Amino acid sequence: MKEYIDQFYNEGFGTTFYLKPVNYLKKKIKNKSLLKICIFIITLLYTFIFLSLAIYILYRKLK
């Protein structure tokens, strides 16, 4: 399962869905506490979406 998670991040999904929004927010938001909250929310969403996608792929392969 770790290989799937690494594959999702290293094949562009991490840069597209995580790094680009975080870098954009760092440029636009000057309030540090609001920035930390937004980055935390993006991290949670990214982790949840791609872990569920990895579990789904694993389920489909084992089925």
Side-chain angles (χ1 to χ4, degrees):
M1 179 108 107
K2 185 178 185 299
E3 294 84 25
Y4 287 121
I5 295 169
D6 290 339
Q7 184 179 6
F8 285 132
Y9 189 82
N10 292 328
E11 288 187 358
F13 290 116
T15 56
T16 302
F17 295 113
Y18 181 74
L19 284 180
K20 284 183 182 179
V22 168
N23 289 337
Y24 179 77
L25 288 176
K26 284 181 181 177
K27 290 178 187 175
K28 297 295 181 181
I29 298 176
K30 300 300 179 199
N31 187 353
K32 295 291 183 182
S33 62
L34 180 61
L35 180 63
K36 285 183 181 182
I37 292 170
C38 290
I39 290 174
F40 180 72
I41 291 171
I42 290 173
T43 305
L44 281 178
L45 286 174
Y46 176 79
T47 304
F48 177 73
I49 289 169
F50 285 103
L51 277 177
S52 61
L53 188 58
I55 290 169
Y56 175 74
I57 290 171
L58 183 65
Y59 172 76
R60 296 291 293 180
K61 280 190 116 175
L62 294 177
K63 187 175 177 183

